[in-house]
Amino acid sequence: MASPPQSLEKVPSSADDPSPKEAPSSDQAISLTISHHGTPHVFHLPATSTILDLSSEIQTALSIPRSSQKLLIPKLGLLKPPFAPTLLTTLPSKKIQLLASTPSEIASVSAPRTASPLRSSSPLKAAAPSKTHDWRKAQDEATYTFHTLLPLPYLPDPERSRRYLARLRDDAGIKAAMRKHKFSVGVLTEMNPADHTTHESRTLGLNRNRGEVIELRLRTDAYDGYRDYKVIRKTLCHELAHNVFGEHDRNFWDLTGAIEKEVDRGDWRNGGRAISNEEFYNPDDRGEDGHVDGGGWSGGEFVLGGGGKEGSGGADGRGGMNRRELMAKAAEERMKRQARTGGGSGS
């Protein structure tokens, strides 16, 4: 008798098992290290936790509001609120950088600062904006100028005469005319009134050898003061014209008039007014009772007029002297004066 057929039970394989895998148990934990301002903080959360849960834990532990938290996760980048419900188990790294300010830091920034004491008012004025330096103009002014100022050392207060000559040299109008006409004068000096005064006339200025030396009558006849600045400056314009023309012809007077207009136009500092404090101002001096010169000097001779002749000069022997002789004479007079002063103090 044949045995009945046995039923074979098929054991399902894992590949044929349609049931899903079990989810991680809620009692499992995941550890993350949160670094904040260089200090590590370790958080233990259930494996089912999300970034939202981590943010809540950070708010509780560190008192940092969720809205202020920024999480820098390697390979994922910077996460800002509102955070997505991303599982912590899916993060590529369990070391997270927290970028946020603590409440105390926020409070210190938000608190009003104590007003600092007011500084005492400074007497200094605000600096004016600097102007671009005109190097070409500076070079021209150094070239076309009066290269030596020479007061007479044997007359009273030569330092005051030197300041007068310096003011003429630095006069804005004179400097403009010197640059335009390219005038270069070796010596600008004063003349002794006694040596250039006769019963018929008074000489106000002289030009020797077309600008080698220009002499100006700065002092009053009584040596008790200085003559009007505008009169002396006008005399200087006349003498500068002798750098080009020796004779008093039409060309000379045209050039003199042009220089005077240029000087007046360029005198933006004083507007042609008298010097302040009347240091060089004589209200009675208009220059009407004197003549400027007898023409330009050349080689120790008058070119025109004045009754001059070769080698003529005054009591100081300065007539027709060139620049070197004039400076040597001034040095000699200065040495004599110093010797007399020294001798007097030693007696």
Side-chain angles (χ1 to χ4, degrees), residues 268-285:
W268 53 269
R269 294 179 180 175
N270 300 305
R273 294 172 295 182
I275 187 171
S276 60
N277 300 325
E278 299 186 352
E279 180 180 0
F280 302 124
Y281 179 63
N282 180 358
D284 297 326
D285 184 6

Side-chain angles (χ1 to χ4, degrees), residues 209-283:
N209 296 332
R210 294 184 182 271
E212 184 178 10
V213 178
I214 288 182
E215 295 183 48
L216 297 174
R217 190 188 191 105
L218 305 183
R219 301 173 186 264
T220 60
D221 294 347
Y223 296 89
D224 56 355
Y226 287 78
R227 307 181 66 238
D228 180 46
Y229 180 79
K230 289 178 64 177
V231 174
I232 300 301
R233 188 174 65 173
K234 189 172 183 180
T235 303
L236 181 56
C237 295
H238 179 109
E239 299 306 330
L240 287 174
H242 276 308
N243 286 2
V244 181
F245 302 106
E247 298 183 2
H248 290 147
D249 56 12
R250 185 71 267 162
N251 293 329
F252 170 83
W253 290 115
D254 288 344
L255 179 58
T256 300
I259 294 175
E260 290 176 353
K261 292 179 181 178
E262 293 160 3
V263 170
D264 290 337
R265 186 166 54 247
D267 185 16
W268 53 269
R269 294 179 180 175
N270 300 305
R273 294 172 295 182
I275 187 171
S276 60
N277 300 325
E278 299 186 352
E279 180 180 0
F280 302 124
Y281 179 63
N282 180 358

Side-chain angles (χ1 to χ4, degrees), residues 311-324:
S312 64
D316 61 349
R318 285 158 43 99
M321 298 173 68
N322 59 27
R323 176 184 179 185
R324 180 180 299 178

Side-chain angles (χ1 to χ4, degrees), residues 134-152:
D134 190 342
W135 295 105
R136 177 61 181 275
K137 179 180 178 181
Q139 183 178 7
D140 287 348
E141 288 183 348
T143 302
Y144 307 116
T145 184
F146 305 95
H147 296 282
T148 301
L149 304 180
L150 190 61
L152 298 182

Side-chain angles (χ1 to χ4, degrees), residues 148-170:
T148 301
L149 304 180
L150 190 61
L152 298 182
Y154 54 87
L155 294 182
D157 201 357
E159 177 58 27
R160 191 178 181 190
S161 293
R162 189 200 64 78
R163 294 199 308 270
Y164 198 133
L165 296 172
R167 182 169 185 246
L168 289 167
R169 177 197 61 194
D170 300 332

Side-chain angles (χ1 to χ4, degrees), residues 6-314:
Q6 298 180 354
S7 61
L8 299 177
E9 183 178 358
K10 184 178 180 181
V11 179
S13 63
S14 59
D16 299 331
D17 187 6
S19 61
K21 294 182 179 181
E22 295 181 359
S25 174
S26 60
D27 57 356
Q28 294 178 351
I30 182 172
S31 299
L32 298 98
T33 301
I34 306 298
S35 179
H36 181 239
H37 288 184
T39 303
H41 303 273
V42 180
F43 290 84
H44 302 282
L45 290 92
T48 56
S49 300
T50 65
I51 292 181
L52 287 172
D53 300 322
L54 174 62
S55 177
S56 298
E57 291 294 324
I58 292 174
Q59 179 173 319
T60 301
L62 303 181
S63 301
I64 299 177
R66 178 180 295 176
S67 59
S68 302
Q69 300 174 18
K70 295 179 183 179
L71 303 176
L72 181 60
I73 303 175
K75 299 182 181 180
L76 190 61
L78 183 65
L79 303 182
K80 301 179 181 179
F83 299 110
T86 305
L87 288 173
L88 298 178
T89 55
T90 63
L91 298 181
S93 176
K94 301 302 183 287
K95 294 183 178 180
I96 301 175
Q97 184 79 21
L98 172 63
L99 307 178
S101 300
T102 62
S104 60
E105 293 172 343
I106 296 175
S108 64
V109 174
S110 302
R113 297 184 179 181
T114 305
S116 58
L118 296 176
R119 294 182 179 180
S120 58
S121 58
S122 174
L124 299 178
K125 297 181 179 180
S130 59
K131 299 180 180 179
T132 304
H133 188 72
D134 190 342
W135 295 105
R136 177 61 181 275
K137 179 180 178 181
Q139 183 178 7
D140 287 348
E141 288 183 348
T143 302
Y144 307 116
T145 184
F146 305 95
H147 296 282
T148 301
L149 304 180
L150 190 61
L152 298 182
Y154 54 87
L155 294 182
D157 201 357
E159 177 58 27
R160 191 178 181 190
S161 293
R162 189 200 64 78
R163 294 199 308 270
Y164 198 133
L165 296 172
R167 182 169 185 246
L168 289 167
R169 177 197 61 194
D170 300 332
D171 186 289
I174 293 293
K175 291 169 70 174
M178 297 278 283
R179 290 196 311 271
K180 178 176 180 179
H181 298 280
K182 302 186 184 303
F183 289 150
S184 178
V185 177
V187 176
L188 180 64
T189 185
E190 63 172 321
M191 64 169 53
N192 189 345
D195 300 326
H196 297 275
T197 303
T198 66
H199 293 290
E200 292 80 15
S201 65
R202 296 187 306 164
T203 302
L204 305 181
L206 291 172
N207 184 326
R208 305 179 190 272
N209 296 332
R210 294 184 182 271
E212 184 178 10
V213 178
I214 288 182
E215 295 183 48
L216 297 174
R217 190 188 191 105
L218 305 183
R219 301 173 186 264
T220 60
D221 294 347
Y223 296 89
D224 56 355
Y226 287 78
R227 307 181 66 238
D228 180 46
Y229 180 79
K230 289 178 64 177
V231 174
I232 300 301
R233 188 174 65 173
K234 189 172 183 180
T235 303
L236 181 56
C237 295
H238 179 109
E239 299 306 330
L240 287 174
H242 276 308
N243 286 2
V244 181
F245 302 106
E247 298 183 2
H248 290 147
D249 56 12
R250 185 71 267 162
N251 293 329
F252 170 83
W253 290 115
D254 288 344
L255 179 58
T256 300
I259 294 175
E260 290 176 353
K261 292 179 181 178
E262 293 160 3
V263 170
D264 290 337
R265 186 166 54 247
D267 185 16
W268 53 269
R269 294 179 180 175
N270 300 305
R273 294 172 295 182
I275 187 171
S276 60
N277 300 325
E278 299 186 352
E279 180 180 0
F280 302 124
Y281 179 63
N282 180 358
D284 297 326
D285 184 6
R286 295 294 179 266
E288 291 138 351
D289 56 345
H291 69 281
V292 179
D293 58 19
W297 285 68
S298 177
E301 297 181 1
F302 280 117
V303 172
L304 177 67
K309 55 186 177 181
E310 184 174 1
S312 64

